[in-house]
Structures are given as C-alpha cells and as structure tokens.
Amino acid sequence: MEGLEPLFSLVTRRSGSALSRQQRERVAEAARPLLEGRTALELVAHLDGREGARDLLTLLSAASVHKTDLFRDEGQLEALEHHVLAPLVREGRPLELWSAGCATGEEVATLLLLLARVGAHPDSRVLGTDLSSLALARARTLAFSAEAMRRVPGPLAAQHFEREGEVFRLSQRLAGRARFLQHNLMETPYPFAEAARGFDVIMCRNVLIYFTPEAAERTVGALAERLAPSGTLVLSAAEPILKPRADLETVRVGGTFFYAPRRPGLPRPPIEALPPPRPSAPVPPVAKAPPPPRDEPVATSPEQEGEALFSLVMEWAAAGQGDAQTEAGLRKALYLAPDLAAARYCLALLLDQQGLRADAATEYRRALAVLESGRARATPFFLNPERLAAACRRALERRDRVSGVTRADAG
Ligand SMILES: C[S@@+](CC[C@H](N)C(=O)[O-])C[C@H]1O[C@@H](n2cnc3c(N)ncnc32)[C@H](O)[C@@H]1O
C-alpha cells in the first residue's frame, strides 16, 4: 500500500470515511487495475475529474462497510415507534421517512414495517439512499434471506412477506412505498422530501461512526436542514452528538436518544428535551485515542474491541473524564459488545447519578437479563457475575423505593 496515501486521502475526502487498515486494503485492491500505467497522483487527478466519476465511485464503494440488519437495535426502534411515529400518525397525514446510508435495504424495510404496524397513512413513503450502487441494487429487491428475517416479529413476517424459495420478499403493498436513490452524503444537494415541510424522520445509523469528526459534523448539519420542524433525526447509540448544537436538541426517551430541530419558544411534544448538559471535567490527556468502532471483522472481534474500549473508558473515568464522554464511550463499547453486562451496569449507574432514573432502570434490567441468560461476558473489573446481578437487583429495588416521576417516566 506504499505510495497510495494521496489516493486514501482522496477517498476520505470524498466519502467522509476515516479509513481503517481493512478499508485501505480494499481500496488498494480496487485501485490496482486503475493504477496500471499511472502514478497514484495521476490516478487522483483522473478520479477528481469529470471522467473519473465512475471509477471514484468504485473506490468509495470498496471502502464502504455494508453491515446491516432487519430490526437492528430493537430498543431504539421500539422508542421510535411509540414515541415518534405513533404521535405523528395521529396527525392523519402521510409521513416521509429517509434512511440515509441504507446499505442493502434492511433499514428501509424495517421502517416500512414499523409504519404499517403503527397504522400510518397508506401514502407514507420511505426514501433509501446510499453511496454504493451495488448495495442499492440489492436494496431495491427488498428481499431477504431466512437468516436476515430472524428478528422480524412473527406477525409482521407473516403479514408482509412472501416466500420465494429461500428468499422472503416484502409485499408489493409495502415495497411500493419505498424509493431508492444513489447519494453521497459528502455531496450537495441533499435529497428533498416530497412535501415542502421536510422529512418527518431521518435515520442515519452506523454511517457517521466511520466518518472523520469533521465529515460527521457537516453531515449532521446538512441532514438537520432536511428535517421538518417537528421532525426527528435518528443516529445509532454508538454515534451520539456530544457537542451542543444550535440547530438540534437531544431528546432522550425509552433509554435511547433522538435529535430534534430547536424551535425556540415552542414546546416539542411528544418527546421531551434533555436539560442543558452539565459542565463536565476537562478530558485528561490520554495515552491513546479509542479505536474507531467497526462493523466489519478485524484482527479482533467487535466484542473484543468493545471490551478493550470498556477498559479504556474505565481508566479515563477514574482519571476524571467528564460524564458525557464516559457515557458515549460506554455506549460505543455496548454497541460493539451488547452482552458486556458490566459496562451496562456502569452506564446505568451514570444515568442514575444524573437523575435519569427510568433510563437507568432500563439499563439495569438489560444487564440483569443478559446476566440471567448466561450470555454475559466476563470482564476483569467484575469477575463475579452473581455479585453484579445482585448489584443490579439492589439498584432496581432502590429505584422502586424512590418516589417522583422522571422525564423519561413521563415521556
Ligand atoms: C454499516 S452500513 C449501515 C446501514 C444501516 N444504516 C444500518 O444501520 O443498518 C453503512 C452504509 O453507509 C454507506 N455510506 C458510507 N459513506 C457514505 C456516504 N458518504 N454517503 C452515503 N452513504 C455512505 C455505506 O455504503 C454503507 O452501505
């Protein structure tokens, strides 16, 4: 991969992605035929020009990670369905949703199924966009393997899919509500909603996690501009917006985060805003930056990466790191290793300390469920799962004794 730095810089600039070693290897492999008879700098000049657009797309697609799933992060989807979609549906108008970075279409199908379950207007639409035309070609089929169907709730699977041999295809009634577009989040203009109001929900999950901080920040701003005033931006739990923004406020509901346009002076039913973030201690200088989380299999498994990140987060917390960074670190670790009960317990403790009792209880319960199922991963910090389970139970009992309604209880 020697001498290819200019090429990697171009791919980062044009895709937003901070490239991991695996991504660099894939880009280098895809660039091999294009490099014949050219230097890397000559290739960059070609790719940056009009005639190089198609070749550039090939390299950007090679860098992409398309890991996705139907009903990915059920907890967040449940909150979306009950706290965001259901109130919008009651307005009685068609809704417009956008899955930005939709990969092979699982998220679009999931949104269509949620809209159906919540009784959305039949003219509601879901737009799916992605950089990769190959991924989009698969997305357009809205057909999935039996393995991909494992998380789809039984009644939805029975009602809205038709089996064709080994493949489950979304019914035409729902598939007809999807449209797909090739779009690079690094390029303007962004797609417009059909209604002048803007999109009711924009989902951009597990895309920004690969981006450089600058690219992620720019993308969030551009997506916010396409939201309806009462719209909601959904990112994954692993990519929380940590810096306060002028255009978006964080809303926390059912143990998950959403982002909503700020509307000074106007209440924002039905999801409640978080209070302004508490000032947190400055981040101490640390020896090493956390490894960027990856969906793809790398030298270590995602679970091992999650464990390593958890250890780092605990070290930073012990050194006085602010709560917001600790929370973000724990959430990233849990994204990578959901069965890390100890990390979940620490997250619950942190939420408890912030007075977010209902959210804390959700996390204690999740930790307990993992511990009781025997799936919990042992961590050096908490070698005794029984003691940890007892701590979770005690925390839940303590919580039951505390009176008063919290924001999330009310939400
Ligand atoms: C890991 S998948 C996430 C799929 C889905 N959103 C989910 O959470 O399951 C990331 C997707 O983002 C797409 N992507 C990466 N960079 C992009 C960009 N600059 N513009 C549009 N899509 C991009 C990739 O092609 C890939 O399909």
Side-chain angles (χ1 to χ4, degrees):
M1 293 200 287
E2 227 166 78
L4 294 186
E5 261 333 300
L7 190 61
F8 298 144
S9 301
L10 174 78
V11 171
T12 290
R13 180 161 53 82
R14 300 293 291 270
S15 70
S17 280
L19 301 180
S20 68
R21 187 172 50 78
Q22 278 76 16
Q23 285 169 302
R24 283 167 178 247
E25 281 169 6
R26 291 204 301 269
V27 171
E29 184 59 34
R32 203 199 301 264
L34 302 173
L35 273 166
E36 270 167 31
R38 285 184 177 123
T39 65
L41 281 176
E42 283 165 351
L43 177 56
V44 166
H46 161 71
L47 295 169
D48 242 350
R50 198 178 271 266
E51 308 82 67
R54 185 185 284 258
D55 290 338
L56 177 66
L57 204 52
T58 306
L59 297 193
L60 302 190
S61 296
S64 298
V65 177
H66 301 305
K67 185 180 183 309
T68 184
D69 234 329
L70 289 161
F71 280 81
R72 187 177 196 179
D73 191 348
E74 288 133 311
Q76 188 185 48
L77 294 174
E78 205 180 297
L80 179 74
E81 179 176 353
H82 296 299
H83 296 278
V84 177
L85 296 180
L88 286 170
V89 164
R90 285 198 286 276
E91 292 178 15
R93 61 177 175 82
L95 303 181
E96 279 192 76
L97 279 55
W98 174 16
S99 162
C102 68
T104 40
E106 283 78 349
E107 197 167 78
V108 170
T110 302
L111 289 174
L112 290 166
L113 290 163
L114 290 182
L115 284 174
R117 184 158 71 182
V118 80
H121 191 290
D123 290 338
S124 297
R125 296 281 175 264
V126 179
L127 167 68
T129 62
D130 202 280
L131 177 77
S132 160
S133 33
L134 274 181
L136 282 173
R138 259 187 67 191
R140 286 193 175 94
T141 66
L142 287 169
F144 308 97
S145 67
E147 159 68 10
M149 292 287 292
R150 70 196 182 287
R151 290 218 192 105
V152 180
L156 287 180
Q159 201 182 341
H160 299 292
F161 284 88
E162 283 139 27
R163 189 168 185 163
E164 294 173 8
E166 295 303 297
V167 163
F168 293 76
R169 192 177 295 280
L170 194 65
S171 70
Q172 191 44 46
R173 195 166 67 83
L174 294 195
R177 299 174 188 175
R179 78 185 159 108
F180 290 94
L181 267 182
Q182 198 254 329
H183 174 253
N184 182 347
L185 290 163
M186 287 296 99
E187 289 170 11
T188 53
Y190 272 30
F192 284 93
E194 282 168 22
R197 181 179 54 247
F199 289 99
D200 296 293
V201 173
I202 300 179
M203 260 195 163
C204 185
R205 300 192 303 171
N206 307 299
V207 180
L208 305 182
I209 198 169
Y210 298 100
F211 278 20
T212 62
E214 302 74 43
E217 171 117 12
R218 200 149 26 102
T219 303
V220 167
L223 292 173
E225 282 179 15
R226 288 290 181 267
L227 274 178
S230 59
T232 299
L233 173 65
V234 184
L235 306 178
S236 83
E239 23 191 29
I241 299 175
L242 295 177
K243 281 199 239 156
R245 299 183 58 101
D247 52 352
L248 291 172
E249 62 182 336
T250 305
V251 285
R252 187 198 286 270
V253 64
T256 194
F257 303 104
F258 298 123
Y259 304 93
R262 284 190 192 277
R263 300 197 300 166
L266 288 177
R268 198 190 181 285
I271 43 182
E272 293 187 352
L274 276 175
R278 287 190 323 184
S280 51
V283 185
V286 286
K288 228 162 68 175
R294 298 285 162 214
D295 280 350
E296 62 196 326
V298 286
T300 52
S301 67
E303 286 78 13
Q304 285 167 325
E305 269 191 51
E307 278 174 11
L309 180 57
F310 176 40
S311 298
L312 270 179
V313 171
M314 295 309 277
E315 277 173 31
W316 297 345
Q321 174 179 256
D323 285 354
Q325 286 86 355
T326 303
E327 185 177 340
L330 289 173
R331 287 189 186 279
K332 271 190 191 175
L334 284 164
Y335 164 76
L336 292 160
D339 293 340
L340 215 44
R344 213 170 272 294
Y345 174 70
C346 292
L347 175 62
L349 278 178
L350 193 63
L351 296 171
D352 236 352
Q353 278 167 13
Q354 293 170 359
L356 298 168
R357 294 211 188 78
D359 293 347
T362 305
E363 298 303 337
Y364 285 130
R365 278 194 203 99
R366 285 181 181 162
L368 203 49
V370 167
L371 286 157
E372 287 173 348
S373 72
R375 291 200 316 272
R377 296 176 72 82
T379 50
F381 287 89
F382 295 87
L383 285 174
N384 186 331
E386 275 163 33
R387 229 171 24 223
L388 186 54
C392 288
R393 280 191 207 100
R394 265 201 310 277
L396 285 168
E397 284 161 16
R398 205 170 52 235
R399 179 196 176 260
D400 288 345
R401 284 199 301 272
V402 176
S403 56
V405 178
T406 63
R407 282 188 307 285
D409 281 329

